[in-house]
Amino acid sequence: MGFLSSLLDIVGFGIGIPFGLLVGFFLFVYSQPKDVQDPDVRPLSELDSSTLMDLLPELPFWVKNPNYDRVDWLNKFILNMWPYLDKAICDTIRSMAQPIFAEYIGMYQIEAIEFEKLSLGTLPPILHGIKVYETNEKELAMEPAIKWAGNPNIILVLKWLPFRITIQLVDLQIFAAPRITLKPLVPTFPCFASLVLSLMEKPHVDFGLKILGGDIMSIPGLYRFVQETIKREVAKLYLWPQTLEIPILDAATGAIKKPVGILHVKVVRALKLLKMDFLGASDPYVKLSLSGERLPAKKTTVKRKNLNPEWNEKFKLIVRDPQAQVLQLYVYDWDKVGAHDKLGMQLVPLKLLTPHETQEFTLDLFKNTNLSDPQQKQRGKIVVELTFDPFKEDHECYSGPLDGYGRKESRISRASDDDTPSGAGLLLVTIQGAEDVEGQRHNNPYAVILFRGEKKKTKMMKKTRDPQWNEEFQFMLEEPPLSEKIHIQVISQRSGIGFRSKESMGHVDIDLTDVVHNGRINHKYHLINSKNGQIHLEIKWKMI
């Protein structure tokens, strides 16, 4: 009986446990608790003020502000790229900090300053929204809302006398709203020449700082002092209108440099020129131009039968890079038939000139540009007077990055209402493009500029209602164009042969008074006699 009882106990235990689990499972799945209620869902407007204030700081910007767009895809991209961005950013920090640390080595008996560990951690910053601006400039401007609660591992070692002092940064939190501008946009990858950063409001920066293992931020009063000091110093450097400009492309490669001044050239005379004609003396004239310019070369008059001609003729050339550009002087012998013979040439680097100072040069003429060739023979001399006059804004307010990074302050040069501008200068008219221009018979638009009897025009764009020209035209004036207007007309021209080959697509007359007083306008104008047409113009006035 004892054996049989034990056997029945084992069988009952083996069957009872699975049966009990099976019954319990079905009861758990198919039974519904009666005390569970659906959550109360209410709109934010019905919440009380205290509950709403608790929730709002945690909401992303794209919820609170309709101007901000949701960028979850960009956060995923940053998350996947963060291990590589971490290394790249840390390498940049090391390279920037090394010369700063080097200045303090040897001072106060400091032997070395170096990073023992430098990592931004595994948690990337999060973008809670981004706002993109549309402007008339050749730029792309955006404002991301950035929050970063990181776990960096940054340890700085200071070797001072026999001591080794470690400074560790922990628990870093940054909340910032920077403005990021990619400008100017250029047709060279990555399609922008520089990246400009500025803060639209003071950032929030919170962190712990351990020195020799002890958190000094726990000292009463020190935490608030450090927070306010950081906000104040960062605001001085990067709070708008202060900017941090990071060059991406070489200006010579990515974008056309803006004019910075005018070179006044006076071709005085030439001496002992070669006799190129078999039966008589040469008929010399001079062509002059600046390197890197596509404009036609300037020419003097032709002096008949003269090997020692005197011209005393003056010319003006637009300078874009006085450190790199060169004045090219070519002396030719004019001929009625065939090509003109070259009598000689010479180069003058503009970096030899002192601004606003007239310098006279007596230059030897040679056959070609290889001036270092000892076998070249002198072909006479030419005498010129040169004066470089930089524009006022470039001469007085010039500041640029020296070592790749630079901080700039945005400035707007405005003349006061009582101060009437005077003096010579350069009027720059850039025709960016047009929108919704439409002809009755064809749409092959080009723009024509009429100013002071001078006519200039852009290239023709075929079969389009939205042409993009991006062409710049220059007018050198002896006085500001006050109370004057510039006439710009958009014309469509038939590509083939036929009657009424041209027709007007609209025009606009721009008063230049505001340009002279403000220095620059950049605006889209509605075309007169056009239904919906607009033209985008940028006009600058630069004074010497």
Side-chain angles (χ1 to χ4, degrees):
M1 292 296 294
F3 173 76
L4 182 60
S5 177
S6 299
L7 180 62
L8 292 175
D9 290 342
I10 294 173
V11 172
F13 182 79
I15 296 175
I17 289 180
F19 181 76
L21 291 175
L22 182 63
V23 172
F25 172 75
F26 278 99
L27 291 175
F28 176 78
V29 171
Y30 292 102
S31 63
Q32 296 183 356
K34 299 180 180 179
D35 56 343
V36 176
Q37 299 179 357
D38 292 332
D40 185 16
V41 179
R42 292 187 297 166
L44 290 176
S45 59
E46 296 182 3
L47 297 178
D48 58 273
S49 59
S50 60
T51 306
L52 191 61
M53 291 304 296
D54 292 338
L55 289 176
L56 282 179
E58 304 302 326
L59 294 177
F61 268 72
W62 60 268
V63 175
K64 295 183 288 185
N65 192 332
N67 293 329
Y68 280 82
D69 297 323
R70 187 174 179 177
V71 284
D72 289 346
W73 65 270
L74 186 55
N75 287 322
K76 292 181 181 179
F77 173 79
I78 296 175
L79 178 62
N80 293 329
M81 288 290 295
W82 185 245
Y84 309 97
L85 291 173
D86 178 21
K87 294 181 180 179
I89 295 173
C90 290
D91 290 341
T92 303
I93 293 175
R94 288 182 186 273
S95 61
M96 295 177 62
Q98 186 175 2
I100 299 176
F101 293 162
E103 295 179 1
Y104 291 94
I105 296 177
M107 299 175 59
Y108 311 108
Q109 299 184 353
I110 297 176
E111 296 182 3
I113 305 175
E114 57 188 13
F115 286 107
E116 182 178 286
K117 294 182 179 179
L118 179 57
S119 173
L120 300 182
T122 58
L123 301 177
I126 297 176
L127 275 65
H128 283 245
I130 189 169
K131 179 166 58 175
V132 180
Y133 290 93
E134 293 184 3
T135 68
N136 291 335
E137 310 292 339
K138 293 182 179 180
E139 64 183 20
L140 176 62
M142 63 191 81
E143 287 183 10
I146 300 175
K147 292 186 178 181
W148 183 28
N151 55 347
N153 185 15
I154 302 175
I155 300 178
L156 186 68
V157 177
L158 174 65
K159 295 181 181 179
W160 177 63
L161 296 176
F163 304 104
R164 185 176 183 273
I165 303 173
T166 59
I167 303 172
Q168 184 178 8
L169 182 69
V170 295
D171 300 331
L172 179 63
Q173 295 184 15
I174 299 177
F175 303 152
R179 173 174 292 177
I180 303 174
T181 306
L182 312 179
K183 69 175 187 180
L185 301 179
V186 296
T188 303
F189 191 80
C191 299
F192 58 93
S194 63
L195 188 149
V196 181
L197 302 175
S198 62
L199 296 173
M200 305 312 295
E201 58 185 27
K202 292 182 179 180
H204 171 75
V205 182
D206 190 7
F207 59 89
L209 194 63
K210 294 183 179 180
I211 298 181
L212 297 176
D215 190 358
I216 66 170
M217 301 303 289
S218 60
I219 299 176
L222 181 61
Y223 174 79
R224 182 174 296 276
F225 172 77
V226 172
Q227 293 291 317
E228 296 300 325
T229 301
I230 291 176
K231 288 184 180 181
R232 183 173 60 254
E233 294 303 319
V234 172
K236 286 182 181 179
L237 295 175
Y238 306 120
L239 188 64
W240 190 89
Q242 309 284 353
T243 60
L244 172 68
E245 183 171 348
I246 304 175
I248 303 299
L249 290 176
D250 183 7
T253 303
I256 299 176
K257 291 189 175 183
K258 66 176 184 178
V260 298
I262 294 178
L263 177 67
H264 299 266
V265 181
K266 181 180 180 181
V267 181
V268 182
R269 66 178 67 89
L271 304 171
K272 300 180 180 179
L273 297 178
L274 291 181
K275 181 180 178 181
M276 302 298 291
D277 296 337
F278 180 73
L279 298 177
S282 299
D283 303 321
Y285 70 94
V286 181
K287 291 177 64 175
L288 55 152
S289 62
L290 285 175
S291 60
E293 285 289 343
R294 300 179 181 178
L295 299 175
K298 307 283 187 179
K299 297 180 182 180
T300 66
T301 57
V302 178
K303 298 297 181 180
R304 301 286 186 179
K305 312 295 182 181
N306 197 335
L307 299 181
N308 297 282
E310 289 197 17
W311 287 283
N312 292 313
E313 297 180 17
K314 297 179 180 180
F315 303 90
K316 296 178 182 178
L317 303 174
I318 297 172
V319 178
R320 299 182 185 271
D321 189 353
Q323 295 298 319
Q325 284 187 293
V326 174
L327 174 64
Q328 302 168 336
L329 298 166
Y330 295 89
V331 183
Y332 287 92
D333 176 28
W334 182 85
D335 289 321
K336 288 184 178 180
V337 181
H340 300 174
D341 298 324
K342 184 191 295 184
L343 297 177
M345 58 85 58
Q346 186 55 274
L347 306 175
V348 182
L350 299 191
K351 62 183 179 181
L352 301 178
L353 304 178
T354 303
H356 304 298
E357 181 180 321
T358 301
Q359 297 177 246
E360 182 177 287
F361 293 85
T362 301
L363 307 169
D364 294 331
L365 296 173
F366 294 95
K367 182 178 180 180
N368 54 48
T369 58
N370 187 14
L371 305 180
S372 60
D373 186 359
Q375 297 183 356
Q376 284 211 73
K377 295 182 179 180
Q378 181 182 335
R379 293 181 158 214
K381 297 179 181 292
I382 186 171
V383 180
V384 294
E385 293 180 1
L386 307 179
T387 307
F388 172 54
D389 287 332
F391 298 128
K392 286 185 177 181
E393 61 182 55
D394 297 284
H395 183 70
E396 298 172 0
C397 303
Y398 176 79
S399 62
L402 298 178
D403 299 319
Y405 300 91
R407 183 174 63 86
K408 293 185 179 180
E409 179 180 357
S410 299
R411 300 183 180 181
I412 301 177
S413 300
R414 297 179 63 95
S416 63
D417 295 336
D418 298 332
D419 184 16
T420 303
S422 61
L426 179 68
L427 183 68
L428 295 170
V429 181
T430 303
I431 301 182
Q432 305 284 6
E435 299 175 4
D436 293 330
V437 291
E438 185 175 6
Q440 295 181 358
R441 301 170 182 83
H442 39 75
N443 292 312
N444 303 314
Y446 65 93
V448 177
I449 303 175
L450 295 175
F451 181 65
R452 290 190 177 181
E454 193 172 354
K455 181 178 179 180
K456 299 183 179 182
K457 65 180 182 178
T458 67
K459 59 182 178 291
M460 184 178 68
M461 308 294 290
K462 293 185 178 180
K463 298 181 180 180
T464 179
R465 294 178 55 186
D466 302 301
Q468 295 295 320
W469 292 294
N470 294 317
E471 293 189 36
E472 180 184 88
F473 302 92
Q474 304 155 352
F475 300 89
M476 281 185 282
L477 310 176
E478 294 299 330
E479 69 280 338
L482 289 168
S483 302
E484 294 190 58
K485 292 185 178 182
I486 186 169
H487 179 82
I488 300 173
Q489 185 177 16
V490 180
I491 299 175
S492 177
Q493 181 174 3
R494 187 186 299 275
S495 56
I497 301 175
F499 295 101
R500 307 183 70 174
S501 61
K502 294 182 182 180
E503 61 176 284
S504 175
M505 308 177 80
H507 70 275
V508 65
D509 293 306
I510 308 298
D511 191 345
L512 298 178
T513 302
D514 289 340
V515 179
V516 174
H517 285 286
N518 297 331
R520 175 180 180 268
I521 60 171
N522 187 0
H523 192 66
K524 291 182 179 180
Y525 296 90
H526 289 278
L527 291 168
I528 301 173
N529 295 333
S530 176
K531 185 177 180 181
N532 299 312
Q534 291 183 327
I535 188 168
H536 184 187
L537 303 174
E538 181 183 13
I539 306 177
K540 299 179 183 179
W541 169 249
K542 292 178 173 288
M543 292 181 60
I544 296 176

